[in-house]
């Protein structure tokens, strides 16, 4: 038995389904950005697996960059524009066609904050591609341009998403067994 198995209640999205959907998203993005300069921005660390597979499905030339942000504790969530960066982008995004690549949108606060910040830097366009959307949990409105999967209100891990920093490497999205693992409040 693999160590992660005791935390897993079910596989929500198996590897093949993930990969097929990512290929479709890559195709859609390639069509939308044909003849345009495309710049992908990934929020560390959860989006990394998705970014690298998505890139291999995008057939138009594109560049990438990374940013990291602090996560606020419960009850201290900030509205758009108040995200605290722990690692900024390397490159300027002014005049560029940016697609923000996210692992999961839950309440929407993280995304709203990051979008608010990026918008102040005057990109030519700013779109969002998220692998997972827990839309039931939304607390602030955010518009999502590309969505891999709508998922139910369950705590998930694998494929970039961690359990206390482990198991990001799993090739599938699994539902956490809440009897064996207590997810963070926020
Ligand atoms: P939001 O600000 O509530 O939308 O939260 C987004 C962030 O919360 C994501 O980038 C993840 O880091 C984390 N998150 C939300 N739901 C899950 C989950 O089910 N598993 C792992 N991380 C999650
Ligand atoms: Mg996280």
């Amino acid at each position: 038995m693999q160590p992660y198995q005791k935390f897993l209640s079910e596989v929500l999205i198996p590897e093949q389904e993930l990969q097929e959907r990512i290929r479709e998203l890559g195709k859609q993005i390639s069509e939308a950005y044909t003849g345009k300069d495309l710049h992908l921005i990934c929020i560390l660390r959860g989006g990394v697996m998705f970014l690298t597979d998505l890139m291999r499905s995008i057939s138009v030339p594109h560049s990438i960059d990374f940013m990291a942000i602090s996560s606020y504790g419960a009850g201290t969530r900030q509205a758009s524009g108040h995200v605290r960066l722990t690692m900024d982008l390397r490159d300027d995004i002014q005049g560029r066609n940016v697609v923000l690549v996210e692992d999961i949108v839950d309440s929407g606060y993280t995304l709203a904050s990051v979008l608010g910040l990026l918008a102040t830097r005057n990109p030519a366009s700013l779109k969002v591609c998220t692998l997972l959307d827990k839309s039931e949990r939304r607390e602030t409105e955010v518009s999502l341009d590309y969505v891999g999967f709508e998922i139910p209100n369950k705590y998930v891990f694998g494929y970039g998403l961690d359990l206390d920093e482990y198991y990001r490497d799993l090739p599938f999205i699994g539902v956490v067994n809440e009897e064996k693992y207590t997810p963070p409040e926020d």
Side-chain angles (χ1 to χ4, degrees):
M1 178 161 152
Q2 295 286 327
Y4 71 81
Q5 279 172 321
K6 74 168 184 282
F7 300 118
L8 179 70
S9 73
E10 59 168 317
V11 172
L12 185 67
I13 310 170
E15 179 174 7
Q16 200 189 331
E17 229 179 284
L18 274 176
Q19 294 300 329
E20 278 169 17
R21 184 71 186 122
I22 292 166
R23 272 196 292 278
E24 288 171 10
L25 290 173
K27 202 165 164 244
Q28 279 180 37
I29 292 172
S30 303
E31 282 162 11
Y33 289 86
T34 299
K36 291 185 185 158
D37 167 56
L38 172 61
H39 189 54
L40 304 177
I41 292 178
C42 174
I43 303 174
L44 295 173
R45 286 167 272 201
V48 165
M49 294 279 270
F50 179 39
L51 174 80
T52 55
D53 282 336
L54 185 66
M55 286 173 72
R56 284 175 281 198
S57 297
I58 294 177
S59 58
V60 298
H62 56 278
S63 52
I64 60 170
D65 205 349
F66 298 89
M67 65 194 291
I69 55 172
S70 66
S71 58
Y72 293 94
T76 59
R77 280 177 161 155
Q78 302 288 303
S80 174
H82 290 87
V83 67
R84 193 169 71 81
L85 281 178
T86 55
M87 190 191 91
D88 204 344
L89 299 171
R90 192 185 64 176
D91 297 328
D92 191 5
I93 59 167
Q94 179 155 2
R96 307 208 59 187
N97 295 301
V98 172
V99 174
L100 189 62
V101 177
E102 257 284 38
D103 52 354
I104 185 165
V105 182
D106 188 34
S107 69
Y109 285 115
T110 304
L111 184 61
S113 299
V114 170
L115 287 174
L117 174 81
L118 294 179
T120 65
R121 299 180 180 185
N122 303 314
S125 63
L126 181 55
K127 305 271 183 194
V128 177
C129 177
T130 184
L131 180 64
L132 306 175
D133 177 12
K134 257 192 222 177
S135 56
E136 260 177 67
R137 295 251 308 167
R138 201 73 85 253
E139 289 177 31
T140 186
E141 206 189 312
V142 281
S143 86
L144 306 178
D145 303 281
Y146 305 95
V147 175
F149 300 87
E150 278 250 358
I151 64 164
N153 181 13
K154 290 179 174 171
Y155 204 76
V156 294
F157 73 116
Y159 197 73
L161 295 137
D162 67 303
L163 273 189
D164 291 336
E165 292 305 324
Y166 291 93
Y167 310 124
R168 294 187 194 273
D169 54 295
L170 298 177
F172 56 81
I173 298 286
V175 175
V176 175
N177 179 341
E178 302 210 21
E179 280 164 23
K180 300 280 165 57
Y181 177 84
T182 313
E185 276 293 296
D186 204 23

